[in-house]
Amino acid sequence: MANATPVMEAIDETLAGKRPVFEVVYEWATTVDHKKIGLMYIFLALIFLIVAGIEAILMRIQLAVPNNHFISPQVFNQLFTMHGTTMVFFMGMPILFGFGNYLVPLMIGARDMAFPRLNAFSFWISAFGGLLLYFSYFGASGLYGAGSAPDVGWFAYAPLTAKVFSPGHSTDYWTLSLLLSGIGTIGTALNIVTTTICMRCRGMTMMRLPLLVWLFLITSCMVFIAIGPLTAAQIMLTLDRYIGAHFFDTQAGGSAVLWMHYFWIFGHPEVYILVLPAFAFVNEIVPVFSRKAIFGYPAMVAATVAIGFISLSVWAHHMFTVGLGAAGNTFFVFATMVISVPTGIKIFNWLATIWGGKIHFATPMIFCVGFLFQFLIAGLTGIMLSAAPFDWQLSASYFVVAHFHYVLVGAIVFALFAAFYYWYPKVTGRMMSETLGKWHFWLFLIGFHLTFDFMHVPGLLGMPRRIYTYEAGRGWEMWNLIVGIGAIFQVVGTVCFIFNLIRSCFRGEIAGHDPWDAWTLEWATPSPPPSYNFAIEPTVHSRRPLWDLKHPEDPDSDYE
Amino acid sequence: MEEDGVIQQQAQEDGNSTITEAVQLPASTPWPMVLALGVALMLTGMVTHWAVSLLGFFLMLRASWGWFFQVLPHDHHISIPVQAEILVITSTRTTRERLPEGFMHRKIIPIETFSVTAGIKGGIAGGIAMTVPAGIFSVVRYHSFWYAVNLLAAGGFVSWAGQTDAFLGQFHLKGLLAASAIHGLTSILIGLLYGAMLPMFPRKPILTAGFIAPFLWTGILYSVLGVISPILNARIDWLWFVLSQIAFGLVCGFVVNLQVKVRTPQFRALPFSVRAGLHGDHSDTKDGKQ
Ligand code: HEM
Ligand SMILES: [Cu+2]
């Protein structure tokens, strides 16, 4: 029943010599099909996940024992910069937009994105941005001297980025590559918004959109607001560096705090741009595996809109230590704490969805449970940090690093893994192995907690972030060793995952159209979907169109 | 009908089953990629050599030209033959446990809950009630009702931080306005939060709102008040503060309890006999265990 995936088809035909490699590559490079573009996004992101993961491991090896000389201070600076930048811009955003690209048209019953060619352009320009970033390793002093890879941190604070402190081109690589990927991000966001507004199938009113689509819609709107300031700041920085403007040059009357404002007006919403799609996956997966409708659909939508707005007004909680003054700090403490209201609503609604359900602990669901638990804890340390006096103590320490990795890995990466297991059968027509999935989950869970639970401790004990080594006898050694061991567990877990991805492509159980007994439209087409998505454009009558098809005697539309 | 077998797709259901033979989709095109490459090379030239930028520039021109004729005067399309006439939704994995097809098979629990607006109403009522103990305290201790008002308002005026008790005891219009705004806004927000939490504790709003929440809230405030309002922090009397919080909570919980509970869709789907109260709803626990 299941036809081969485009990927497998391509591999098979190339191996069998039916089609020359060039032809296959050309087909993918010129495609404007939203599904193929989505897959390319995800593929690109996985590559960068591996690269940035290797960078993380190198850092952890360096920090595992005191007084280590595994890598030089300069290379360490490059590693954390490249790791952070890659994870945020070339792993997080592309992978989320990849899923968005793939799923949004399918879920709203459309044939394609609104602007298919713009879609291709957006993907390629982000991809070239990533290549340019890594091309920096070949610049100037070459690969082994680590070239001129950026070394100013992913937030590139002024005045460190000024020409005097950062000669050569390392900082330019950072700016230019993010400029490129920024263009792509805006393009994709534009596409998602237009597609959602204009291309819904018959009967798909806004209040019947799958929550995933709602969340991608709001995320995309946030992209419009957030990427602008970043781009502006980067152009200003480029002017500073190339033609001697003085926006951020403190020696000449420029302002370093100006950079911080620009950066965090982008940077904080960015966190939500990454986390909302993660919520989106959980919104789809939890109800299906609890065998219940999502609890409080309208409240979920409202809370998401509220999060979108509020998160735009809290950026300066990253700047408590700058000395904004009492009034400024007060405002941002308060604004930050207010976010816990809509976030709380979401958590309660997920719990209420699970509550009393008939829960099926398949791999996607256990990853979601991990997500719920870890997101809660990350939220709590977030509230702690939003109190300015607490932040004054811990701002540049490993406590902060532990906190944001709790969000980025504990919540976002877990939700992403859940999404992979959940939608893989749709994309390839085959199931991923549950056994390997469980191994992946447990190894990764243990590794995650070893790494990031214990990372809070050296933070509280005063270990600053971004130091390349430390002396023995400060009470940090044991904790750093545990953290390092945890990282190894995560690597092993991820290897299980990658192996599973590849193996299941050839050996996985045939999935059929709707292996999870799900509710949204993407499961109403064959797996993998044909290039036109739906042979007949669907019509929907409720929020759970597949429920209606399976239970015509008791359709959902009676309940709305 | 409902055994998981073959489920026919929309087409027949809706009677609009004109099945098209082919679908028009946009044709593939290399130009978006080449344009992206051109733009990328133009920037790359800034960190390598100007010749790279030049190359990028020409690629950009060429790609724009190509793209232009892709969409003008007409979008290039290809038609893809449609393979399946009628799509059937089959599940090859029918072993999965299904919820029993009883009346609870689409469980949405709880059956009844308070609405979020109940929380807001409670918050407003509580906010009003809270002014009573605060006012009494202010009169007893400082012989002026305005003291409490100004103290709260001072959080918004940095310049009031050093003011004397006497100053705070007088009436200030600015103070009254600021205090009302701060107090009103927080009461509504807290009400909103209760509203969101209530479905989780549908049975004991008094306990939740009256004691647990004020307790948590006071704890948080106790630790952060120094930043939010140093002046309040310096002069606050925690005993009275907790009392006002409890007043808030009790009244809020009371008002919430007066509200009618809203029925979730689950309730509306129950058979009439259950809704009318003729039958109990005990099957719940049974099929939960199964
Ligand atoms: C999977 C295991 C991971 C490990 C072991 C790890 C480890 C690290 C380490 C050691 C640092 C340097 C901290 C410092 O010295 O300041 C760091 C920084 C960072 N990481 Fe990760 N990381 C992981 C995953 C991720 C993911 C998934 C993301 C994002 C989606 C991410 C985003 C960042 C960011 C933004 C920084 C800040 C860079 C900076 O300080 O400039 N990391 N990570
Ligand atoms: Cu933030």
Side-chain angles (χ1 to χ4, degrees):
Chain A
M1 181 99 232
N3 10 7
T5 75
V7 186
M8 279 165 55
E9 217 168 70
I11 297 175
D12 281 354
E13 289 182 347
T14 325
L15 289 184
K18 266 191 252 160
R19 287 166 71 200
V21 184
F22 174 78
E23 207 182 295
V24 178
V25 171
Y26 185 81
E27 184 193 314
W28 280 79
T30 59
T31 187
V32 290
D33 178 355
H34 73 98
K35 295 181 292 299
K36 283 191 177 165
I37 294 175
L39 289 180
M40 289 196 291
Y41 260 121
I42 293 173
F43 181 74
L44 178 81
L46 282 177
I47 303 277
F48 279 121
L49 174 69
I50 295 171
V51 173
I54 294 173
E55 285 158 355
I57 294 301
L58 291 178
M59 284 188 282
R60 275 335 309 184
I61 295 177
Q62 167 66 18
L63 291 171
V65 290
N67 294 317
N68 201 351
H69 293 290
F70 175 61
I71 39 187
S72 70
Q74 178 56 21
V75 171
F76 190 86
N77 291 349
Q78 296 175 335
L79 282 179
F80 71 67
T81 305
M82 294 295 271
H83 165 79
T85 310
T86 312
M87 281 292 192
V88 171
F89 293 98
F90 298 107
M91 192 296 271
M93 302 240 270
I95 208 164
L96 299 168
F97 277 135
F99 274 98
N101 243 309
Y102 197 97
L103 292 174
V104 167
L106 279 172
M107 283 185 144
I108 62 174
R111 288 242 155 94
D112 205 331
M113 286 288 219
F115 309 116
R117 296 176 192 85
L118 173 65
N119 205 12
F121 174 76
S122 307
F123 165 75
W124 285 107
I125 201 151
S126 302
F128 290 133
L131 286 184
L132 177 57
L133 183 68
Y134 275 86
F135 185 68
S136 64
Y137 271 114
F138 302 100
S141 55
L143 192 55
Y144 289 104
S148 46
D151 56 0
V152 286
W154 87 284
F155 32 71
Y157 276 169
L160 191 57
T161 49
K163 204 81 192 172
V164 258
F165 300 112
S166 171
H169 279 308
S170 62
T171 299
D172 301 320
Y173 277 106
W174 184 84
T175 337
L176 298 175
S177 64
L178 295 198
L179 262 178
L180 287 175
S181 77
I183 301 174
T185 313
I186 299 253
T188 307
L190 186 73
N191 232 327
I192 289 183
V193 172
T194 320
T195 308
T196 318
I197 306 270
C198 305
M199 316 248 313
R200 282 167 287 141
C201 67
R202 251 175 304 150
M204 179 72 78
T205 60
M206 287 307 269
M207 284 321 266
R208 281 189 196 151
L209 284 181
L211 274 179
L212 181 139
V213 180
W214 256 114
L215 267 76
F216 270 92
L217 178 66
I218 293 167
T219 309
S220 305
C221 293
M222 290 177 71
V223 163
F224 295 148
I225 303 176
I227 301 283
L230 177 69
T231 308
Q234 277 162 340
I235 292 175
M236 285 149 97
L237 179 60
T238 310
L239 293 179
D240 270 15
R241 291 180 55 89
Y242 276 86
I243 59 173
H246 300 302
F247 291 107
F248 309 120
D249 178 0
T250 43
Q251 303 290 304
S255 162
V257 176
L258 181 67
W259 171 267
M260 295 182 83
H261 278 297
Y262 266 109
F263 186 84
W264 287 115
I265 286 177
F266 149 77
H268 186 80
E270 169 69 12
V271 179
Y272 285 86
I273 290 171
L274 294 174
V275 88
L276 286 183
F279 290 172
F281 303 145
V282 176
N283 282 336
E284 296 304 324
I285 297 171
V286 161
V288 167
F289 289 91
S290 308
R291 297 270 163 252
K292 282 176 66 190
I294 188 98
F295 187 83
Y297 176 99
M300 283 298 220
V301 174
T304 313
V305 177
I307 289 181
F309 275 110
I310 304 172
S311 72
L312 294 172
S313 64
V314 302
W315 74 91
H317 64 209
H318 297 270
M319 300 164 60
F320 284 143
T321 48
V322 170
L324 296 173
N329 278 351
T330 308
F331 174 81
F332 286 104
V333 166
F334 206 69
T336 307
M337 292 189 174
V338 165
I339 280 217
S340 57
V341 175
T343 314
I345 293 179
K346 281 182 168 288
I347 292 188
F348 288 129
N349 278 330
W350 284 320
L351 292 180
T353 305
I354 296 178
W355 185 6
K358 183 159 253 174
I359 301 162
H360 179 68
F361 285 106
T363 314
M365 183 66 178
I366 49 180
F367 272 104
C368 285
V369 175
F371 161 92
L372 282 178
F373 177 70
Q374 280 136 210
F375 181 63
L376 188 69
I377 298 184
L380 293 179
T381 51
I383 294 272
M384 287 160 82
L385 285 169
S386 73
F390 190 88
D391 188 69
W392 289 333
Q393 296 296 318
L394 290 163
S395 175
S397 80
Y398 260 87
F399 189 88
V400 171
V401 181
H403 156 72
F404 72 67
H405 279 87
Y406 237 87
V407 184
L408 295 169
V409 185
I412 298 173
V413 173
F414 270 70
L416 263 173
F417 283 142
F420 268 100
Y421 285 93
Y422 183 67
W423 279 291
Y424 191 86
K426 177 57 25 192
V427 176
T428 63
R430 288 170 185 269
M431 308 293 290
M432 284 177 85
S433 151
E434 279 282 305
T435 324
L436 274 172
K438 298 267 156 73
W439 274 97
H440 169 206
F441 173 75
W442 286 108
L443 285 167
F444 202 82
L445 185 86
I446 295 171
F448 168 79
H449 284 283
L450 281 179
T451 304
F452 296 113
D453 292 0
F454 291 104
M455 197 186 274
H456 288 93
V457 185
L460 288 169
L461 294 177
M463 177 166 167
R465 65 199 279 200
R466 284 186 238 109
I467 51 172
Y468 98 106
T469 191
Y470 50 94
E471 293 151 25
R474 300 196 170 194
W476 305 339
E477 302 93 319
M478 186 182 65
W479 305 110
N480 279 307
L481 190 59
I482 299 178
V483 168
I485 294 171
I488 308 287
F489 269 87
Q490 295 184 57
V491 170
V492 182
T494 311
V495 170
C496 282
F497 168 68
I498 303 275
F499 178 68
N500 200 350
L501 275 185
I502 297 170
R503 200 195 88 111
S504 305
C505 207
F506 302 100
R507 298 263 179 82
E509 197 189 329
I510 302 287
H513 304 328
D514 180 23
W516 308 117
D517 228 339
W519 293 329
T520 32
L521 275 185
E522 78 271 29
W523 305 101
T525 78
S527 318
S531 53
Y532 44 80
N533 288 354
F534 299 94
I536 305 146
E537 287 185 59
T539 308
V540 299
H541 304 287
S542 77
R543 275 175 206 152
R544 297 194 298 167
L546 257 61
W547 173 278
D548 298 354
L549 285 175
K550 293 170 188 173
H551 298 275
E553 80 290 354
D554 183 22
D556 238 7
S557 37
D558 289 357
Y559 297 81
E560 276 167 11
Chain B
M1 194 64 190
E2 70 264 280
E3 68 267 32
D4 13 59
V6 179
I7 296 127
Q8 308 264 308
Q9 220 214 2
Q10 232 85 35
Q12 303 106 316
E13 245 194 30
D14 302 330
N16 60 321
S17 40
T18 37
I19 297 163
T20 37
E21 261 95 67
V23 172
Q24 300 284 310
L25 290 178
S28 349
T29 156
W31 299 121
M33 179 189 129
V34 178
L35 182 69
L37 183 64
V39 176
L41 286 183
M42 272 175 67
L43 292 195
T44 307
M46 293 174 71
V47 281
T48 48
H49 192 273
W50 60 264
V52 178
S53 292
L54 195 66
L55 174 64
F57 181 70
F58 284 118
L59 281 182
M60 204 180 87
L61 285 186
R62 177 64 187 91
S64 312
W65 176 263
W67 191 335
F68 190 85
F69 287 105
Q70 261 281 318
V71 289
L72 284 170
H74 297 293
D75 266 12
H76 278 210
H77 275 112
I78 41 168
S79 48
I80 308 260
V82 171
Q83 283 149 8
E85 269 117 65
I86 288 172
L87 277 178
V88 271
I89 303 168
T90 42
S91 174
T92 48
R93 303 189 4 131
T94 46
T95 49
R96 176 164 339 295
E97 259 185 311
R98 279 291 197 80
L99 280 181
E101 301 282 312
F103 65 86
M104 288 300 281
H105 74 286
R106 48 205 296 114
K107 240 188 240 175
I108 302 171
I109 292 177
I111 289 175
E112 285 187 318
T113 175
F114 290 102
S115 66
V116 173
T117 47
I120 299 183
K121 287 178 198 155
I124 294 174
I128 296 171
M130 198 178 157
T131 56
V132 176
I136 299 177
F137 158 73
S138 176
V139 172
V140 170
R141 181 85 173 270
Y142 297 96
H143 311 294
S144 158
F145 177 74
W146 302 116
Y147 187 85
V149 174
N150 289 328
L151 195 55
L152 185 59
F157 306 124
V158 180
S159 58
W160 283 17
Q163 290 297 355
T164 58
D165 284 353
F167 175 84
L168 292 181
Q170 289 154 11
F171 171 77
H172 301 280
L173 182 63
K174 202 164 94 170
L176 181 62
L177 290 178
S180 317
I182 296 176
H183 186 62
L185 196 67
T186 7
S187 301
I188 290 176
L189 270 177
I190 303 290
L192 193 65
L193 188 59
Y194 281 174
M197 285 168 64
L198 283 171
M200 303 304 296
F201 311 98
R203 303 229 168 81
K204 309 245 180 329
I206 292 267
L207 189 66
T208 316
F211 293 98
I212 300 178
F215 183 72
L216 286 175
W217 179 239
T218 310
I220 295 178
L221 261 189
Y222 187 76
S223 49
V224 300
L225 197 62
V227 211
I228 297 183
S229 174
I231 179 171
L232 193 55
N233 194 34
R235 306 189 195 207
I236 196 165
D237 183 322
W238 286 101
L239 176 68
W240 279 94
F241 183 77
V242 173
L243 282 182
S244 347
Q245 296 293 325
I246 292 182
F248 174 94
L250 286 177
V251 173
C252 175
F254 180 73
V255 171
V256 166
N257 238 358
L258 291 182
Q259 307 295 314
V260 187
K261 290 193 181 185
V262 256
R263 268 95 195 241
T264 56
Q266 172 63 41
F267 183 87
R268 278 180 261 133
L270 292 178
F272 177 75
S273 55
V274 179
R275 278 185 288 154
L278 302 178
H279 266 295
D281 161 30
H282 302 301
S283 58
D284 194 14
T285 43
K286 259 182 280 151
D287 79 42
K289 304 266 160 43
Q290 208 178 50

